[in-house]
Amino acid sequence: MLETLDNGKPIRETRDIDIPWSAPHFYHHAGWAQLMESELPECGPIGVVGQIIPWNFPLLMLAWKIAPALAMGNTVVLKPAEFTSITALAFAEICREIDLPPGVVNIVHRRRKDRRADREPPGRRQIAFTGSTEVGRIIRKATAGSGKRLSLELGGKSPFIVFDDADLDSVVEGVVDAIWFNQGQVCCAGSRLLVQEDIADKPSRKLRERMETLR
């Protein structure tokens, strides 16, 4: 309910996708934490990881960022999107309830007028950002030459490719899922439809018919 109230997506999606998909990330990476010495002997913690997440999957993005960082022994400073921070704060309350040591997980807020990548504190060893290509470029310039590691998950134009032997009814449902899931606010949304030329009219017609019934 918090995720839906904060983000605006249907309760059906937060109930069936966002929350159930978030928890397994912590289970999965907890397993890696137990196996780190034997399976990843050459790897180790790097220190403080700064993380910036967008508003389209607030809690799921938090899980993607925080779980692997903690599993490798790092501490994190996570900035949620300014308009969708409720579940991040709820997560911080859970961290306090389970007696996670202070300073291991830090949730910070920054108002829009104060949000500048070049104000990044020097102690952070890695920056992990998911968001727009424009902001990704700003962060890249601000961290250049600093020695910080940087991972960027930016916007893309993902193709949905259809050949002449495809099941067109399945194609139509696949396109609906690819581009309109989460109202289309997905980094890998299928925003380009590439159809083999000799069947191009059929899926286009079926898609128009399907869109008339889309809720």
Side-chain angles (χ1 to χ4, degrees):
M1 288 187 67
L2 289 176
E3 194 80 322
T4 288
L5 288 170
D6 206 20
N7 174 278
K9 66 177 67 183
I11 190 73
R12 173 178 56 84
E13 289 190 12
T14 57
R15 181 196 64 207
D16 297 345
I17 296 171
D18 294 67
I19 307 307
W21 287 12
S22 298
H25 284 284
F26 288 95
Y27 284 112
H28 175 82
H29 288 95
W32 275 113
Q34 297 176 59
L35 297 172
M36 187 173 68
E37 291 185 1
S38 61
E39 300 298 323
L40 302 170
E42 74 285 358
C43 298
I46 60 174
V48 183
V49 180
Q51 304 174 331
I52 307 170
I53 58 174
W55 46 264
N56 54 346
F57 293 93
L59 187 65
L60 186 57
M61 285 284 184
L62 177 150
W64 288 354
K65 291 284 192 287
I66 288 183
L70 293 185
M72 294 302 294
N74 301 289
T75 59
V76 300
V77 179
L78 180 133
K79 180 195 175 298
E82 57 192 309
F83 298 122
T84 54
S85 59
I86 291 179
T87 48
L89 296 176
F91 179 81
E93 291 180 356
I94 292 172
C95 291
R96 179 181 296 172
E97 291 171 3
I98 65 171
D99 294 326
L100 193 72
V104 174
V105 171
N106 307 273
I107 309 296
V108 299
H109 297 274
R110 192 175 284 178
R111 292 182 297 175
R112 182 177 294 272
K113 66 179 182 179
D114 296 329
R115 186 180 59 193
R116 287 180 51 190
D118 56 1
R119 292 177 180 169
E120 184 64 42
R124 299 181 193 173
R125 299 292 303 278
Q126 176 167 343
I127 307 297
F129 171 73
T130 299
S132 70
T133 303
E134 178 186 7
V135 175
R137 289 193 180 103
I138 294 173
I139 295 174
R140 172 68 279 183
K141 291 178 181 178
T143 57
S146 67
K148 290 183 175 68
R149 300 185 185 191
L150 183 64
S151 62
L152 301 174
E153 182 190 358
L154 309 177
K157 298 293 289 182
S158 306
F160 195 104
I161 302 172
V162 182
F163 293 106
D164 60 2
D165 60 349
D167 176 351
L168 295 185
D169 291 332
S170 296
V171 165
V172 169
E173 293 308 310
V175 169
V176 169
D177 286 341
I179 189 61
W180 281 286
F181 167 61
N182 202 49
Q183 294 75 55
Q185 302 297 339
V186 182
C187 299
C188 55
S191 52
R192 290 187 295 163
L193 182 59
L194 306 180
V195 184
Q196 192 161 333
E197 190 171 7
D198 57 350
I199 62 161
D201 292 340
K202 293 180 181 179
S204 296
R205 184 180 68 253
K206 285 179 172 289
L207 272 171
R208 284 194 296 269
E209 294 171 354
R210 177 67 175 89
M211 295 322 300
E212 292 176 357
T213 65
L214 186 67
R215 291 176 62 189

